[in-house]
Amino acid sequence: MQYRISASCLPFRWSLVRNLLIAASVTTAIANPPAFATASSRKSCFSSSAANCSSSSNSNSNCNSNSSECSKMGDQQPGKATGNAYEAGSSSVAFVTTPDRESARKLARSIVELKLAACVNIVSQVESIYMWEGVISEDPEYLLMIKTRTSRIDDLSKFIRENHPYSVAEVIALPIQNGNPPYLDWIAQTVPTKAESKD
C-alpha cells in the first residue's frame, strides 16, 4: 500500500500535469507550425486560384477575389508576401511570474496597451519552488507568456521591474526561431520597433 496516493494530493498533481501539457503544447506550437499553416493547405488555395485564373473565360476580377479569399484564410500568396521572410529570433517569448491573478492581469493589460507586446497569455496554478534569501520556498504563481519583438525586450523588462509586486521580477526571454508566418508577421505589425512618442 506504499503506492497509494492521498486524495488531497490529487488536485495538485492533476493541475501540475495540466500545466506541463500546456507548456509542452506552447513549445510545440512555437517550434512547429500548425497543420492549417502547412505548405499543402496553402498549395490547395493557390492551385485553385491559379486554375480559375488560367482559364480564358474568367476575368481578372474573379482572379483577384479568389486570391483575396486565400489571404483572409491567413495564407500568403506567392510573390505577394507582406514583407520579407521571417528572420529567426526577431520575435521572442518572455516569461514572467506573478503572485496572483490580479497582478498578472494588470501587468498583461498594461503591456499590451503600451504595445510592448502583441499578446500575453496567463497560465494559472503554476507551482514554483525556489531558493530565496537562503530558504527554499514553494508558492503558487501565475505565468505570463509574452510575445513581442526581440528588440523590445529591454523596454519590456524595464516596465516590468517598475510595475511588478516582487522586488526581483522574473523576466526570461527566448527567441522564436520559427512559427506560423502570419502570426509572426502579426507580432511584428503590432509591436513597434521602438517606443512611440506621446506627443
Side-chain angles (χ1 to χ4, degrees):
M1 291 294 181
Q2 64 186 4
Y3 300 108
R4 182 179 242 170
I5 298 173
S6 167
S8 65
C9 292
L10 283 175
F12 169 74
R13 290 176 190 227
W14 281 114
S15 65
L16 176 63
V17 169
R18 184 199 68 178
N19 288 336
L20 288 173
L21 290 172
I22 290 171
S25 66
V26 167
T27 304
T28 303
I30 291 170
N32 302 315
F36 64 82
T38 61
S40 63
S41 65
R42 287 193 295 261
K43 184 178 178 184
S44 65
C45 184
F46 298 140
S47 60
S48 65
S49 295
N52 289 338
C53 290
S54 65
S55 68
S56 59
S57 62
N58 287 333
S59 67
N60 275 343
S61 62
N62 286 340
C63 295
N64 292 338
S65 66
N66 284 340
S67 58
S68 67
E69 287 174 16
C70 288
S71 295
K72 289 178 190 174
M73 295 184 335
D75 291 325
Q76 297 293 329
Q77 299 173 39
K80 299 213 178 196
T82 56
N84 296 333
Y86 176 73
E87 181 183 332
S90 61
S91 293
S92 289
V93 178
F95 296 99
V96 175
T97 53
T98 64
D100 54 51
R101 184 171 190 224
E102 289 175 23
S103 60
R105 289 178 58 90
K106 183 178 177 184
L107 269 176
R109 181 166 285 282
S110 297
I111 288 167
V112 173
E113 284 175 350
L114 293 171
K115 296 186 179 180
L116 290 169
C119 175
V120 179
N121 301 112
I122 301 173
V123 181
S124 61
Q125 298 179 351
V126 174
E127 189 72 21
S128 297
I129 302 172
Y130 57 95
M131 180 73 71
W132 182 251
E133 297 178 344
V135 178
I136 296 177
S137 300
E138 297 184 28
D139 289 309
E141 292 185 300
Y142 284 74
L143 175 66
L144 304 181
M145 295 187 306
I146 305 166
K147 276 75 76 177
T148 188
R149 286 179 181 266
T150 301
S151 63
R152 298 303 305 276
I153 293 295
D154 290 340
D155 296 332
L156 176 68
S157 295
K158 181 177 186 274
F159 176 80
I160 291 170
R161 281 194 309 271
E162 293 171 352
N163 293 281
H164 201 285
Y166 291 161
S167 60
V168 179
E170 173 187 358
V171 181
I172 299 172
L174 303 172
I176 299 172
Q177 295 303 314
N178 203 349
N180 183 15
Y183 186 83
L184 298 173
D185 285 346
W186 170 73
I187 293 173
Q189 291 168 8
T190 305
V191 181
T193 53
K194 50 184 152 176
E196 295 177 343
S197 62
K198 295 182 180 180
D199 293 335

